[in-house]
Amino acid sequence: MYSYCCFLVFLFNICLCEDIINNKRFPSDFIFSVGTSAYQIEGGWNEDGKSPSIWDTTVHSNPAFIEDSSNGDIACDSYHKIEEDVAIIKELGVTHYRFSIAWTRILPNGIGEVNEAGVAHYKKLIKELKNNGISPFVTIFHWDIPQVLQDMGGILNSSFVSWYSDYARECFNRFGDDVGYWITFNEPQQICTGGYGSGVFAPAVKSEGLLEYLCAYQVVKAHAKAWHIYDSEFRSKQNGKISIALDTLAFVPASSSPSDKEAANRMLHFTLGLYANPIFLGDYPYVIKARIAARSAAEGRNRSRLPEFTQDEIDYIRGTHDFFGLNAYSAFVIEAIEDPPVQNPPSTWQDQGVNIYIPSHWEGTAQYHFVVVPWTIRPLLNWIKNTYNNPGIIITENGYPSKGDKDDRREYYIRGYLSYIRDAMIEDDVSVLGYSVWSLMDNFEWTLGYTLKYGLFNVDFSSANRTRTIRPSGEFYKKVIQTRCLVENCVE
Ligand code: NOJ
């Protein structure tokens, strides 16, 4: 596909081109994966020594927090369905399965004593995967911090870096011989802006422009420590790769004016750069540091709301990556505006200082503000390539939400993304090493409960058995993996 003609489509709202699907085969070592996370699928919320995480306690104490007042107590019941899950993963033919480990099963007290039953569960899953020729791609933390640590301040406690890295070490120690890819944190932006900014995710603290930045600072430091532990204590014997999965929307400038382009660039720095710059380049993006510092001063503060790294921290964090993990789903248009006036309390939006909108002709989905614009992945991949010195990129998440219908649009979406990804690889020399569909099966979609479905497999939540049934989009992905190709007549 040729993305830039679609940019013209966007600008002039006319159809100048048709989607042309890339017909070049993906490389034989390309990672084709599918993903899930512990809280969203496992159930067994209080079994075999597991303690509650912040998601358990939030959904139990405040069911209204979730659209359908549901919870993850049973979810897909994957805690009891290892063989069944591995069978459907195998059916897809993926090379890798991305799943997360629940901290609360391994260390129910957050720190200290290991729960052997929890370790045994993941050992069994990993063994079953490997026996079926599927490589584990493991996320250490996918949002479910133990409540017992939250009670002591959670991520914001300065001890979090040690709590987390001790837990990560335990994961490397127990599972690392069989794991080739590790993700330290899934979507820190959602953890921090959702958990400590807008408050839409557990632990639901509303502190825009303040605690959300403290959270980001803590997560980056904890990530770096876990990377160093892996690098110095485990890499030589385990030979794996470890990085972080960062999420962003693609941001399309509203026009080709320098100010709109600058605004879109700034937004990428607020979403990706806040995490990626310290890890890939050293320190936060200058544009963010300078903006938040200036606005903080104008608010009468004697220091920036964005905590600063010391030079030692900058040096320690820089380089703590083995690949670039990217979760990418959708896009917004960004338009420059007059700088918003300084106000107290601050807001994320004021710090970013841009206008965001979705053109009415972009195809919507069942999820609010989620649009189908696969062509936007190509400029985003190029931005990452150019900004971070051409890292190997793994698309750790990409998928389509529905109410259980429109599976043909899921197929269209996945084909489109893969096609533009392949274009970027071939025509722009972007190094994309892999792609993981979210999700293997319908599951607990956080505050939207079970109302939204991302699965390549439908899950019947009304049956005690939680029956999984492959969707046509699952059959489609299976064929793509078999042929490493998106069209009938592929060329090498
Ligand atoms: C982001 C998260 O990593 C995952 O947990 C979530 O279900 C999907 N994307 C879809 O919203």
Side-chain angles (χ1 to χ4, degrees):
M1 287 192 234
Y2 186 52
S3 59
Y4 298 105
C5 71
C6 293
F7 181 66
L8 295 177
V9 174
F10 161 70
L11 274 184
F12 303 113
N13 197 9
I14 48 171
C15 192
L16 294 179
C17 64
E18 280 186 16
D19 286 346
I20 300 166
I21 302 297
N22 190 300
N23 67 352
K24 305 270 179 358
R25 235 179 266 290
F26 281 84
S28 56
D29 58 353
F30 194 79
I31 293 171
F32 280 111
S33 164
V34 69
T36 61
S37 86
Y39 186 70
Q40 294 179 273
I41 65 161
E42 283 180 357
W45 76 277
N46 60 357
E47 282 184 50
D48 297 340
K50 176 185 172 295
S51 68
S53 76
I54 54 170
W55 276 91
D56 291 306
T57 52
T58 302
V59 298
H60 289 157
S61 63
N62 181 12
F65 196 65
I66 309 300
E67 187 160 307
D68 55 3
S69 302
S70 64
N71 57 50
D73 289 2
I74 301 175
C76 306
D77 203 22
S78 288
Y79 187 65
H80 302 111
K81 291 186 179 299
I82 288 182
E83 287 85 359
E84 209 176 311
D85 280 357
V86 173
I88 63 170
I89 297 162
K90 189 175 184 182
E91 188 180 342
L92 290 176
V94 289
T95 59
H96 291 70
Y97 173 48
R98 179 174 176 239
F99 64 93
S100 79
I101 294 175
W103 189 338
T104 49
R105 290 195 197 281
I106 306 298
L107 299 169
N109 298 320
I111 53 176
E113 207 185 325
V114 175
N115 174 29
E116 294 300 334
V119 172
H121 170 74
Y122 295 107
K123 281 220 176 261
K124 190 174 166 196
L125 171 60
I126 289 170
K127 189 164 176 219
E128 188 70 14
L129 287 167
K130 294 203 82 161
N131 285 345
N132 284 281
I134 303 152
S135 304
F137 197 126
V138 182
T139 308
I140 297 168
F141 181 76
H142 198 124
W143 306 2
D144 45 356
I145 186 171
Q147 181 62 43
V148 67
L149 295 183
Q150 190 63 36
D151 294 342
M152 298 192 284
I155 291 175
L156 304 189
N157 187 319
S158 56
S159 295
F160 175 76
V161 176
S162 313
W163 298 339
Y164 171 82
S165 55
D166 285 352
Y167 159 56
R169 179 186 281 109
E170 203 58 54
C171 291
F172 305 144
N173 206 4
R174 299 304 190 108
F175 311 116
D177 287 345
D178 294 308
V179 175
Y181 287 91
W182 293 99
I183 292 288
T184 52
F185 286 88
N186 177 68
E187 298 196 349
Q189 183 193 193
Q190 301 306 319
I191 296 170
C192 293
T193 60
Y196 291 94
S198 60
V200 296
F201 290 149
V205 176
K206 286 189 181 31
S207 176
E208 288 193 23
L210 282 163
L211 294 184
E212 63 176 318
Y213 297 143
L214 178 57
C215 170
Y217 168 80
Q218 290 281 91
V219 168
V220 168
K221 289 202 299 184
H223 155 84
K225 183 146 188 207
W227 188 93
H228 279 293
I229 288 173
Y230 188 79
D231 197 50
S232 58
E233 299 174 29
F234 297 93
R235 189 190 293 282
S236 60
K237 17 180 215 262
Q238 298 185 342
N239 255 315
K241 296 193 186 311
I242 175 166
S243 200
I244 189 165
L246 304 179
D247 68 292
T248 187
L249 294 156
F251 297 115
V252 180
S255 76
S256 56
S257 75
S259 57
D260 284 343
K261 283 188 184 163
E262 195 275 323
N265 195 49
R266 180 167 2 120
M267 274 305 289
L268 278 169
H269 275 309
F270 265 98
T271 56
L272 274 191
L274 190 60
Y275 304 93
N277 279 42
I279 294 169
F280 285 80
L281 303 176
D283 208 358
Y284 299 118
Y286 174 75
V287 60
I288 295 191
K289 261 179 92 163
R291 258 188 91 81
I292 300 176
R295 294 184 71 85
S296 303
E299 289 155 14
R301 299 170 198 271
N302 61 1
R303 63 178 64 206
S304 176
R305 289 183 270 104
L306 179 63
E308 286 183 12
F309 293 120
T310 63
Q311 190 56 49
D312 282 351
E313 287 171 339
I314 291 172
D315 295 340
Y316 182 76
I317 296 164
R318 184 194 295 114
T320 56
H321 57 85
D322 299 331
F323 57 93
F324 196 109
L326 174 70
N327 291 4
Y329 286 88
S330 185
F332 281 153
V333 174
I334 301 295
E335 187 177 47
I337 53 170
E338 290 277 304
D339 214 13
V342 165
Q343 272 172 23
N344 254 324
S347 80
T348 322
W349 174 78
Q350 285 169 353
D351 283 346
Q352 294 167 348
V354 300
N355 186 28
I356 291 177
Y357 65 93
I358 291 177
S360 58
H361 62 284
W362 283 7
E363 175 183 335
T365 63
Q367 190 162 2
Y368 185 59
H369 277 169
F370 185 125
V371 284
V372 180
V373 279
W375 59 272
T376 59
I377 191 73
R378 186 169 163 189
L380 175 59
L381 289 172
N382 273 281
W383 189 87
I384 291 170
K385 174 191 166 191
N386 296 331
T387 309
Y388 300 114
N389 304 321
N390 198 13
I393 301 170
I394 299 178
I395 315 271
T396 31
E397 281 186 33
N398 177 244
Y400 178 91
S402 76
K403 294 278 180 194
D405 54 351
K406 300 200 172 165
D407 190 57
D408 56 326
R409 299 316 289 163
R410 178 173 293 117
E411 181 175 325
Y412 170 87
Y413 175 100
I414 293 172
R415 182 191 286 111
Y417 266 92
L418 279 170
S419 183
Y420 283 111
I421 288 166
R422 194 76 188 104
D423 288 350
M425 293 166 72
I426 294 168
E427 289 169 42
D428 312 330
D429 265 332
V430 179
S431 168
V432 184
L433 310 173
Y435 172 86
S436 191
V437 171
W438 187 271
S439 177
L440 170 63
M441 58 190 152
D442 300 338
N443 56 51
F444 179 78
E445 180 51 32
W446 307 112
T447 49
L448 298 172
Y450 299 97
T451 64
L452 213 61
K453 295 166 193 311
Y454 272 93
L456 295 177
F457 282 78
N458 171 75
V459 176
D460 179 1
F461 289 102
S462 65
S463 81
N465 197 29
R466 298 295 194 270
T467 312
R468 288 101 157 104
T469 311
I470 194 164
R471 291 199 166 104
S473 56
E475 297 285 3
F476 162 74
Y477 190 47
K478 182 172 160 181
K479 192 164 171 211
V480 169
I481 299 167
Q482 261 166 15
T483 57
R484 286 185 286 111
C485 171
L486 302 170
V487 296
E488 286 301 326
N489 298 313
C490 230
V491 295
E492 292 304 324

